[in-house]
Coordinates of all heavy atoms in Angstrom, one line a residue:
L113 N 41.6 27.5 -41.5 CA 40.3 28.1 -41.2 C 40.5 29.1 -40.0 O 41.3 28.9 -39.2 CB 39.3 27.1 -40.8 CG 38.9 26.0 -41.8 CD1 37.7 25.2 -41.2 CD2 38.6 26.6 -43.1
R114 N 39.7 30.1 -40.0 CA 39.7 31.1 -39.0 C 38.2 31.4 -38.6 O 37.3 31.5 -39.4 CB 40.3 32.4 -39.4 CG 40.5 33.4 -38.3 CD 40.9 34.8 -38.9 NE 39.8 35.5 -39.5 CZ 40.0 36.2 -40.6 NH1 41.1 36.3 -41.2 NH2 38.9 36.8 -41.2
L115 N 38.0 31.6 -37.3 CA 36.7 32.0 -36.8 C 36.8 32.9 -35.6 O 37.8 32.9 -34.9 CB 35.8 30.8 -36.4 CG 36.2 30.0 -35.2 CD1 35.0 29.4 -34.5 CD2 37.2 28.9 -35.6
N116 N 35.8 33.8 -35.5 CA 35.7 34.7 -34.3 C 35.1 33.9 -33.2 O 34.2 33.1 -33.4 CB 34.9 35.9 -34.7 CG 35.0 37.0 -33.6 OD1 34.7 36.8 -32.5 ND2 35.4 38.2 -34.0
V117 N 35.4 34.2 -31.9 CA 34.8 33.4 -30.8 C 33.3 33.7 -30.7 O 32.6 32.9 -30.2 CB 35.5 33.8 -29.5 CG1 36.9 33.3 -29.4 CG2 35.5 35.3 -29.3
S118 N 32.9 34.8 -31.3 CA 31.4 35.0 -31.3 C 30.7 34.0 -32.2 O 29.5 33.8 -32.0 CB 31.1 36.4 -31.9 OG 31.5 36.5 -33.3
T119 N 31.4 33.3 -33.0 CA 30.8 32.2 -33.8 C 30.3 31.1 -32.8 O 29.2 30.5 -33.1 CB 31.8 31.5 -34.7 OG1 32.2 32.6 -35.7 CG2 31.2 30.4 -35.5
V120 N 30.9 30.9 -31.7 CA 30.5 29.9 -30.8 C 29.1 30.3 -30.2 O 28.3 29.4 -30.0 CB 31.5 29.7 -29.6 CG1 31.0 28.6 -28.6 CG2 32.9 29.3 -30.2
D121 N 28.9 31.6 -30.0 CA 27.6 32.0 -29.5 C 26.5 31.7 -30.5 O 25.4 31.3 -30.2 CB 27.6 33.5 -29.3 CG 28.6 34.0 -28.2 OD1 28.8 33.2 -27.3 OD2 29.1 35.1 -28.3
A122 N 26.8 31.9 -31.8 CA 25.9 31.6 -32.9 C 25.6 30.1 -32.9 O 24.4 29.6 -33.2 CB 26.4 32.0 -34.2
I123 N 26.6 29.2 -32.7 CA 26.4 27.8 -32.7 C 25.5 27.4 -31.6 O 24.5 26.6 -31.7 CB 27.8 27.1 -32.6 CG1 28.6 27.2 -33.9 CG2 27.6 25.6 -32.3 CD1 30.0 26.7 -33.8
E124 N 25.7 27.9 -30.4 CA 24.9 27.6 -29.2 C 23.5 28.0 -29.4 O 22.5 27.3 -29.1 CB 25.5 28.3 -28.0 CG 26.8 27.7 -27.5 CD 27.3 28.3 -26.2 OE1 27.0 29.5 -26.0 OE2 28.0 27.7 -25.5
E125 N 23.3 29.2 -30.0 CA 21.9 29.7 -30.3 C 21.2 28.8 -31.3 O 20.0 28.5 -31.1 CB 22.0 31.2 -30.8 CG 20.6 31.8 -31.0 CD 20.7 33.2 -31.5 OE1 21.8 33.8 -31.5 OE2 19.7 33.8 -31.8
K126 N 21.9 28.4 -32.3 CA 21.2 27.7 -33.4 C 20.8 26.3 -32.9 O 19.7 25.8 -33.2 CB 22.1 27.5 -34.6 CG 21.5 26.7 -35.7 CD 22.3 26.7 -37.0 CE 21.7 25.9 -38.1 NZ 22.5 25.9 -39.3
Y127 N 21.6 25.6 -32.1 CA 21.4 24.2 -31.7 C 20.9 24.1 -30.3 O 20.7 23.0 -29.8 CB 22.6 23.4 -31.9 CG 23.1 23.3 -33.4 CD1 24.3 23.9 -33.8 CD2 22.3 22.7 -34.3 CE1 24.7 23.8 -35.1 CE2 22.7 22.6 -35.6 CZ 23.9 23.2 -36.0 OH 24.3 23.1 -37.3
G128 N 20.7 25.2 -29.6 CA 20.2 25.2 -28.2 C 21.2 24.6 -27.3 O 20.8 23.9 -26.3
L129 N 22.5 24.9 -27.5 CA 23.5 24.4 -26.6 C 24.0 25.4 -25.7 O 23.7 26.6 -25.8 CB 24.7 23.9 -27.5 CG 24.4 22.8 -28.5 CD1 25.6 22.6 -29.5 CD2 23.9 21.5 -27.9
S130 N 24.8 25.0 -24.7 CA 25.4 26.0 -23.8 C 26.8 25.4 -23.2 O 27.0 24.2 -23.2 CB 24.5 26.3 -22.6 OG 24.2 25.1 -21.9
G131 N 27.6 26.3 -22.8 CA 28.9 25.8 -22.2 C 29.9 25.4 -23.2 O 30.9 24.7 -22.7
L132 N 29.8 25.6 -24.5 CA 30.8 25.2 -25.4 C 32.1 26.0 -25.2 O 32.0 27.2 -24.9 CB 30.3 25.4 -26.9 CG 29.2 24.5 -27.3 CD1 28.8 24.9 -28.8 CD2 29.5 23.1 -27.2
S133 N 33.2 25.4 -25.3 CA 34.5 26.1 -25.1 C 34.8 27.1 -26.2 O 34.5 26.9 -27.4 CB 35.6 25.0 -25.1 OG 36.9 25.7 -25.0
R134 N 35.4 28.2 -25.8 CA 35.8 29.3 -26.7 C 37.3 29.0 -27.1 O 37.8 29.7 -28.0 CB 35.7 30.6 -26.1 CG 34.3 31.3 -26.4 CD 33.2 30.6 -25.8 NE 31.9 31.3 -26.0 CZ 30.7 30.7 -25.8 NH1 30.6 29.5 -25.4 NH2 29.6 31.4 -26.0
D135 N 37.9 28.1 -26.5 CA 39.3 27.8 -26.7 C 39.5 26.6 -27.6 O 39.9 26.6 -28.7 CB 40.1 27.8 -25.4 CG 40.1 29.1 -24.7 OD1 40.2 30.1 -25.3 OD2 40.0 29.1 -23.4
S136 N 39.2 25.4 -27.0 CA 39.3 24.2 -27.7 C 38.1 24.0 -28.5 O 36.9 24.1 -28.0 CB 39.5 23.0 -26.8 OG 39.5 21.8 -27.5
L137 N 38.2 23.7 -29.8 CA 37.1 23.5 -30.7 C 36.9 22.1 -31.2 O 36.5 21.8 -32.3 CB 37.3 24.4 -32.0 CG 37.5 25.9 -31.7 CD1 37.9 26.6 -33.0 CD2 36.2 26.5 -31.0
D138 N 37.2 21.1 -30.2 CA 37.2 19.7 -30.6 C 35.8 19.2 -30.8 O 35.6 18.0 -31.2 CB 37.9 18.9 -29.5 CG 37.3 19.1 -28.1 OD1 36.4 19.9 -28.0 OD2 37.9 18.5 -27.2
Y139 N 34.8 20.0 -30.6 CA 33.4 19.6 -30.9 C 33.0 19.9 -32.4 O 31.9 19.6 -32.8 CB 32.4 20.3 -29.9 CG 32.6 21.8 -29.8 CD1 32.1 22.7 -30.7 CD2 33.4 22.3 -28.8 CE1 32.3 24.0 -30.6 CE2 33.6 23.6 -28.6 CZ 33.0 24.5 -29.5 OH 33.2 25.9 -29.4
L140 N 33.9 20.4 -33.1 CA 33.7 20.7 -34.5 C 34.3 19.5 -35.4 O 35.3 19.0 -35.0 CB 34.3 22.0 -35.0 CG 33.8 23.3 -34.3 CD1 34.5 24.5 -34.9 CD2 32.3 23.4 -34.5
S141 N 33.6 19.1 -36.4 CA 34.1 18.1 -37.4 C 34.0 18.7 -38.8 O 33.2 19.6 -39.1 CB 33.4 16.8 -37.2 OG 32.0 16.9 -37.5
F142 N 34.8 18.1 -39.7 CA 34.9 18.7 -41.0 C 34.9 17.6 -42.1 O 35.5 16.6 -41.9 CB 36.3 19.5 -41.1 CG 36.5 20.5 -40.0 CD1 37.1 20.1 -38.8 CD2 36.0 21.8 -40.1 CE1 37.3 20.9 -37.8 CE2 36.2 22.6 -39.1 CZ 36.8 22.2 -37.9
R143 N 34.2 17.9 -43.2 CA 34.1 16.9 -44.3 C 34.5 17.7 -45.6 O 34.0 18.8 -45.8 CB 32.8 16.3 -44.4 CG 32.3 15.5 -43.3 CD 30.9 14.9 -43.5 NE 30.4 14.4 -42.3 CZ 29.1 14.0 -42.1 NH1 28.2 14.2 -43.1 NH2 28.6 13.5 -41.0
L144 N 35.2 17.1 -46.4 CA 35.5 17.6 -47.7 C 34.6 17.0 -48.8 O 34.5 15.8 -48.9 CB 37.0 17.3 -48.1 CG 37.5 18.0 -49.4 CD1 37.6 19.5 -49.2 CD2 38.9 17.5 -49.8
V145 N 33.8 17.9 -49.4 CA 32.8 17.4 -50.4 C 33.2 18.0 -51.7 O 33.6 19.2 -51.8 CB 31.4 17.9 -50.0 CG1 30.4 17.5 -51.0 CG2 31.1 17.4 -48.6
D146 N 33.0 17.2 -52.8 CA 33.3 17.7 -54.2 C 32.1 17.5 -55.1 O 31.1 17.0 -54.7 CB 34.6 17.1 -54.7 CG 34.3 15.7 -55.3 OD1 33.3 15.0 -55.0 OD2 35.1 15.2 -56.1
M147 N 32.3 18.0 -56.3 CA 31.2 17.9 -57.3 C 31.9 17.5 -58.6 O 32.9 18.1 -59.0 CB 30.5 19.2 -57.5 CG 29.3 19.1 -58.5 SD 29.7 19.4 -60.2 CE 29.9 21.1 -60.2
V148 N 31.4 16.4 -59.2 CA 32.0 15.9 -60.5 C 30.8 15.7 -61.4 O 29.6 15.6 -61.0 CB 32.7 14.6 -60.3 CG1 34.0 14.8 -59.5 CG2 31.8 13.5 -59.7
K149 N 31.1 15.7 -62.7 CA 30.1 15.5 -63.7 C 30.1 14.0 -64.2 O 31.2 13.4 -64.4 CB 30.4 16.4 -64.9 CG 30.2 17.9 -64.6 CD 30.4 18.7 -65.8 CE 30.3 20.2 -65.5 NZ 28.9 20.6 -65.1
D150 N 28.9 13.4 -64.3 CA 28.8 12.1 -64.9 C 27.8 12.2 -66.0 O 27.3 13.3 -66.4 CB 28.5 11.1 -63.9 CG 27.1 11.2 -63.2 OD1 26.4 12.1 -63.7 OD2 26.8 10.5 -62.3
G151 N 27.4 11.1 -66.5 CA 26.4 11.0 -67.6 C 25.1 11.7 -67.3 O 24.3 12.1 -68.2
E152 N 24.7 11.7 -66.0 CA 23.4 12.2 -65.6 C 23.5 13.7 -65.1 O 22.5 14.2 -64.7 CB 22.8 11.3 -64.6 CG 22.6 9.9 -65.1 CD 22.0 9.0 -64.0 OE1 21.8 9.5 -62.9 OE2 21.7 7.8 -64.3

Side-chain angles (χ1 to χ4, degrees):
L113 299 188
R114 185 190 75 218
L115 67 148
N116 192 303
V117 290
S118 63
T119 298
V120 181
D121 298 330
I123 291 174
E124 290 182 333
E125 181 179 355
K126 179 173 181 178
Y127 298 112
L129 302 173
S130 62
L132 294 179
S133 173
R134 270 62 177 168
D135 296 322
S136 176
L137 304 173
D138 56 3
Y139 47 83
L140 299 180
S141 59
F142 310 89
R143 296 178 193 169
L144 187 66
V145 178
D146 80 339
M147 187 270 286
V148 294
K149 295 182 179 295
D150 64 8
E152 299 179 358

